[in-house]
Amino acid sequence: MVMSWLNYHHLLYFWTVARAGSIAKAGEELHLAQPTISSQLKLLEESLGHKLFERQGRKLVLTDVGRTVMRYADEIFRLGNELKNVVAGMPTGQQLRLNVGILDVIPKLVAEQLLKPALEAGPSLRIICREGPLPQLLASLALHELDVVLADAPSSEPVSVRSFNHLLGKCGVSFFAAKQLSHLQKDFPRSLDGAPVLLPSDESSVRRSLDLWFERQNLRPLIAGDFDDSALLQAFGQSGHGVFALPSVIESQVERDYNCSVIGRTDEIETCFYAITVERRLRHPAVVAIAEAARSQIFSV
């Protein structure tokens, strides 16, 4: 098999044009004639099999593929500068980054517990968090914009690259209520029949599990609210608008931070948490730290 090599001179010309905003400005920076740069860009596009720029009026705008190539070029030339500094014996000052996507229905306290070991393992780590629905996060993962996605269900979404689900842990569910609803602790779970409850959106796995559990228990609670955002759900629960359910692993923190009390709990509803990556084996040191701590300290897998 003959390997196709990337011409890094062509990539440099592309990177400079993208940063400068035009071939003319790039030519001044590189001390090259415009036709020379144009021909090199064309060769790069031919070797990659995609257009990297498109014209919008007098401007050159990156295509979708161009934006992806630009992200890689930024990293390639950043590493090149770092290599020169290392060889010269200079400190790189490079900060390790972790780009993590967090499913919007995951409670913030759970996310904080999962991410905390990464910060403790590397004091110079910079975490960039992106929150959203699973399809959107998986698309970013496929484009290598994210290193890992934290989710409450394994990936089954169609993405352009294969993804791998790494189980971090699982636990039961606890039901919380503000003071004005604390009387529901008596005769739990029968007390939930007709009681106001706050639930995550229909798309979340825990919502489906809760609906099935209510059905098995022959309970018909009054659904007082559906929420995409877990923090908003908890805020409404703290104000006494309804009973809300969260993973039992954060029980003590919820009682402390939200001034709520546990009115009951069940292991029949199982909440699971996954780290989704494009790698079969975890390699990023921060993601490894997250997985090891989750399995040995936070959850029991």
Side-chain angles (χ1 to χ4, degrees):
M1 177 180 175
V2 178
M3 183 178 292
S4 177
W5 295 99
L6 178 65
N7 189 310
Y8 288 95
H9 283 98
H10 296 170
L11 186 65
L12 174 62
Y13 301 153
F14 158 78
W15 184 63
T16 306
V17 170
R19 288 168 54 245
S22 71
I23 292 177
K25 290 181 180 179
E28 293 175 4
E29 185 175 333
L30 295 168
H31 304 291
L32 293 172
Q34 292 185 42
T36 300
I37 296 177
S38 297
S39 64
Q40 303 304 306
L41 283 178
K42 186 176 181 181
L43 289 173
L44 179 61
E45 290 178 331
E46 290 175 353
S47 69
L48 295 175
H50 291 278
K51 294 287 292 182
L52 302 178
F53 291 101
E54 59 184 6
R55 284 206 171 273
Q56 290 185 2
R58 295 184 178 181
K59 295 182 179 179
L60 280 179
V61 179
L62 289 168
T63 63
D64 289 341
V65 174
R67 284 190 289 272
T68 299
V69 174
M70 185 63 182
R71 284 192 295 272
Y72 279 98
D74 280 335
E75 186 70 7
I76 287 169
F77 293 116
R78 181 193 65 76
L79 287 172
N81 286 328
E82 182 177 328
L83 173 61
K84 289 192 296 183
N85 290 336
V86 168
V87 172
M90 298 169 56
T92 66
Q94 179 59 34
Q95 188 178 30
L96 181 64
R97 295 163 60 102
L98 174 66
N99 294 285
V100 54
I102 304 173
L103 197 64
D104 43 18
V105 296
I106 289 183
K108 303 301 183 285
L109 288 173
V110 173
E112 189 272 337
Q113 276 202 29
L114 289 173
L115 293 174
K116 186 178 177 181
L119 289 169
E120 293 175 345
S124 63
L125 176 71
R126 177 183 175 184
I127 294 181
I128 299 93
C129 294
R130 300 287 182 265
E131 193 176 48
L134 188 57
Q136 176 184 320
L137 295 178
L138 291 177
S140 296
L141 183 70
L143 292 172
H144 300 279
E145 296 173 350
L146 297 173
D147 298 303
V148 63
V149 170
L150 301 181
D152 66 345
S155 166
S156 59
E157 300 288 338
V159 291
S160 57
V161 298
R162 190 178 181 187
S163 59
F164 298 91
N165 302 298
H166 308 272
L167 179 64
L168 298 177
K170 50 191 174 183
C171 65
V173 163
S174 298
F175 291 82
F176 301 86
K179 184 177 181 180
Q180 53 266 52
L181 295 175
S182 60
H183 64 277
L184 296 173
Q185 184 175 6
K186 186 178 181 181
D187 196 29
F188 178 90
R190 298 305 315 162
S191 59
L192 294 179
D193 195 40
V197 296
L198 306 170
L199 299 175
S201 64
D202 292 337
E203 289 76 20
S204 69
S205 62
V206 69
R207 171 61 182 272
R208 294 188 289 271
S209 298
L210 283 166
D211 286 342
L212 289 172
W213 185 76
F214 288 142
E215 186 176 337
R216 288 197 303 269
Q217 298 292 327
N218 196 27
L219 299 173
R220 292 178 176 81
L222 174 65
I223 300 177
D226 300 74
F227 299 85
D228 286 329
D229 187 281
S230 62
L232 187 59
L233 184 153
Q234 291 166 53
F236 271 73
Q238 182 182 19
S239 299
H241 293 290
V243 175
F244 57 102
L246 290 172
S248 296
V249 72
I250 54 171
E251 193 174 277
S252 60
Q253 294 98 313
V254 174
E255 287 186 303
R256 181 191 66 228
D257 295 351
Y258 290 90
N259 195 27
C260 294
S261 57
V262 176
I263 63 169
R265 59 181 65 85
T266 180
D267 289 328
E268 293 180 24
I269 303 174
E270 195 172 67
T271 55
C272 300
F273 297 94
Y274 294 85
I276 304 174
T277 67
V278 294
E279 303 167 328
R280 183 184 298 274
R281 181 181 177 184
L282 299 179
R283 298 186 183 278
H284 194 296
V287 180
V288 171
I290 288 170
E292 289 180 349
R295 292 163 180 169
S296 63
Q297 302 171 28
I298 303 175
F299 303 101
S300 57
V301 178

